[in-house]
Amino acid sequence: MSFAMAMLIVWVCSVHTYAQTSDTLRVNLNEVEQTFLEKNLLLLAQHYQVNADSALITQAKLWDNPVLTTDQNVYANRRFFEHGVNPDGTPRGQFLVQVDQLIQLGGKRAKNVALAGTNATISYWQFLDLMRTLKLELRTSYYTLIQAMSLSRLYAEEDGHLSQLVNGMQAQLQAGNIARKDLLRLQALQLTLHQKMADNNQQIEDLQSSLRTLLQTGPQSVLMPTEQMSSKVQLPLLQDAMTTAIEYNPEYKIENYRLTGTSQNLAVQKAMAVPDLTISPSFDQNSNYTPNYWGLGLSIPLPVFNRNQGNIKAAQFQISAQQAVVDNKRIALQNNVAAAYNKLVAVQKLNADNQDKFYKDYDALYDNIVQSYKQRQLSLVEFIDYHQAYLDVMSQKSNLSLQLQLAREELNFQSGTDLVK
């Protein structure tokens, strides 16, 4: 048995054993994405953060709690907690009750509620940003897995052809009809193919691992895509892609809401310059100028030295800084959309120029080449050239289909929505 054949048997047996011990999941892209949305832990964590930031809106609406102050005599006239009435009818003993309630002025509460609402909106868009990033990773891995499995089938088919040729040449060598160097050269060609198969299988395993993590499945699960990659997509107008990105791109939306937040923060800081009023109703039983005294206290800080000038100035600079960030993000987004659009147009054109009939004819040609070599109508050098060219052409076909899907997903990523179906 040849070394190449031994390697093939070992590889087939390992694949068969792996398939037996694995949980194979035959899924399409919609099923994969549904599982991803339901089970991905990073999305779940960010979703909880959105809820947490939304709860802060409720917190911002709440009034400050009143402060209760009490004071009473503990020991007097050799008696503890002496209370009662003197012979002349005046109270004996003393206690004081006072309630302080802070009243925020200047619209502080409403302005803080608006700022909390903006922060919650930013958190929501951060959730959408995480979702689109993970979806891009998910779809990239899914389509790359389809391409890698397509290459795996191509390599397996070619390996079968080479195994037949190697077996035939071994018989011819024993009969003395060919030189040993020709057999060794064909075996070397098969070993090179086995290396490509091994590299491709490693890529498949890496992709499976990535998808398992995204979908939160067990280490023994194996995803088997049930669909093929399309060779054509519906291209939108570039201006439509630009408009959609401005409206839906999470990164741009986040920076815009942060700009809104800086303006709201300036309003809050200006409101902080307005002093707050504290109302303090009180009852004093016996320590004031008259027994059973009821009073009402009002206190307000005088804005003589601190009028929050520094924080107001800082908030104004933050608005200018954030405006520059938004302007830069807009330019970068437009350039990214244009670049992704141009890539998709270019790859779409390449896919359109390569028609299926060419690949069918080329596939049939290669079958004829194999038969011609078996019949010794071609030299070994000519067969090797045709073999390498066939692998290159078919690999390029698979790669072009993958590049089309990735270019489409890149434009969708920049647009912030599934603009290109």
Side-chain angles (χ1 to χ4, degrees):
M1 180 183 296
S2 68
F3 178 68
M5 180 59 68
M7 285 189 63
L8 175 62
I9 291 174
V10 171
W11 177 77
V12 171
C13 290
S14 64
V15 171
H16 179 68
T17 302
Y18 180 72
Q20 286 182 327
T21 59
S22 301
D23 182 14
T24 301
L25 305 175
R26 300 184 63 84
V27 291
N28 57 37
L29 183 59
N30 289 335
E31 293 170 336
V32 167
E33 292 189 349
Q34 184 63 34
T35 303
F36 161 74
L37 292 175
E38 292 174 354
K39 295 185 176 182
N40 187 270
L41 295 179
L42 291 178
L43 281 182
L44 183 62
Q46 186 62 40
H47 178 70
Y48 285 138
Q49 184 60 49
V50 172
N51 293 338
D53 290 337
S54 297
L56 294 179
I57 300 176
T58 301
Q59 182 63 36
K61 294 179 180 179
L62 300 178
W63 283 62
D64 293 287
N65 290 325
V67 178
L68 173 65
T69 303
T70 63
D71 181 21
Q72 70 168 340
N73 64 298
V74 177
Y75 181 80
N77 300 323
R78 299 181 180 180
R79 299 176 64 182
F80 287 94
F81 301 105
E82 182 182 24
H83 293 285
V85 180
N86 294 317
D88 59 358
T90 59
R92 183 169 64 246
Q94 157 65 7
F95 70 88
L96 169 72
V97 177
Q98 179 175 311
V99 177
D100 298 321
Q101 177 63 58
L102 179 67
I103 307 296
Q104 292 185 345
L105 303 179
K108 294 185 183 70
R109 181 171 292 101
K111 292 177 174 62
N112 277 301
V113 169
L115 181 57
T118 299
N119 289 334
T121 303
I122 290 174
S123 183
Y124 171 72
W125 279 99
Q126 287 174 334
F127 170 75
L128 294 182
D129 188 34
L130 175 64
M131 181 185 294
R132 71 159 186 155
T133 302
L134 293 177
K135 282 182 69 174
L136 178 63
E137 181 182 349
L138 177 73
R139 291 179 177 182
T140 299
S141 298
Y142 181 80
Y143 287 125
T144 306
L145 180 62
I146 293 177
Q147 187 246 8
M149 288 185 168
S150 175
L151 286 179
S152 182
R153 290 189 293 269
L154 172 65
Y155 292 154
E157 181 181 357
E158 290 311 296
D159 191 56
H161 288 155
L162 291 179
S163 294
Q164 291 178 359
L165 294 175
V166 168
N167 290 337
M169 291 188 70
Q170 285 177 333
Q172 292 291 325
L173 178 63
Q174 292 177 355
N177 296 328
I178 62 170
R180 185 171 181 80
K181 64 180 181 62
D182 291 337
L183 174 61
L184 291 176
R185 189 164 186 182
L186 196 61
Q187 288 176 326
L189 183 65
Q190 189 175 31
L191 285 175
T192 301
L193 179 61
H194 285 170
Q195 184 60 54
K196 291 182 178 180
M197 295 170 70
D199 293 341
N200 190 63
N201 288 335
Q202 289 179 4
Q203 183 185 24
I204 289 176
E205 184 54 43
D206 290 339
L207 293 169
Q208 291 283 358
S209 177
S210 176
L211 288 169
R212 290 186 199 112
T213 301
L214 289 170
L215 301 178
Q216 303 298 312
T217 59
Q220 295 300 319
S221 62
V222 176
L223 297 177
M224 297 291 293
T226 59
E227 56 195 334
Q228 298 298 318
M229 292 183 287
S230 60
S231 59
K232 190 175 182 180
V233 298
Q234 288 295 116
L235 278 169
L237 297 175
L238 177 57
Q239 187 58 46
D240 291 341
M242 293 282 191
T243 302
T244 301
I246 293 298
E247 184 176 357
Y248 292 107
N249 181 276
E251 289 184 60
Y252 182 69
K253 298 293 288 187
I254 288 171
E255 297 304 334
N256 267 280
Y257 279 111
R258 283 176 176 163
L259 179 60
T260 301
T262 56
S263 298
Q264 292 170 334
N265 180 58
L266 175 60
V268 169
Q269 296 307 323
K270 289 182 176 179
M272 294 294 291
V274 178
D276 294 330
L277 174 66
T278 301
I279 300 177
S280 305
S282 62
F283 172 77
D284 190 330
Q285 186 189 39
N286 203 23
S287 71
N288 217 303
Y289 76 95
T290 182
N292 298 322
Y293 168 83
W294 289 90
L296 177 64
L298 299 175
S299 64
I300 187 170
L302 298 178
V304 177
F305 305 110
N306 182 358
R307 298 188 300 276
N308 210 35
Q309 304 96 313
N311 287 332
I312 292 174
K313 198 68 175 179
Q316 291 171 338
F317 283 123
Q318 288 170 356
I319 292 176
S320 300
Q322 186 60 30
Q323 182 63 61
V325 172
V326 170
D327 293 341
N328 179 74
K329 181 63 70 174
R330 185 184 185 92
I331 295 173
L333 178 60
Q334 290 173 336
N335 289 331
N336 291 338
V337 170
Y341 186 88
N342 292 333
K343 289 178 186 177
L344 182 57
V345 170
V347 178
Q348 173 90 314
K349 187 176 184 301
L350 284 175
N351 275 270
D353 291 342
N354 290 273
Q355 301 182 7
D356 291 337
K357 186 177 183 303
F358 165 76
Y359 290 111
K360 291 180 181 178
D361 292 343
Y362 202 87
D363 194 50
L365 173 64
Y366 181 72
D367 289 338
N368 292 332
I369 293 299
V370 174
Q371 294 301 321
S372 297
Y373 180 69
K374 287 181 179 179
Q375 297 169 8
R376 309 196 65 176
Q377 296 174 355
L378 286 177
S379 67
L380 179 60
V381 174
E382 290 175 314
F383 171 75
I384 291 175
D385 288 341
Y386 277 115
H387 171 82
Q388 296 289 5
Y390 177 76
L391 285 182
D392 290 342
V393 168
M394 291 304 173
S395 298
Q396 184 64 28
K397 173 189 175 184
S398 178
N399 187 61
L400 281 175
S401 296
L402 174 61
Q403 293 305 314
L404 179 64
Q405 312 309 316
L406 298 185
R408 177 184 65 181
E409 295 307 326
E410 174 64 21
L411 183 56
N412 287 339
F413 177 80
Q414 296 298 338
S415 300
T417 186
D418 288 341
L419 178 66
V420 186
K421 304 297 182 179

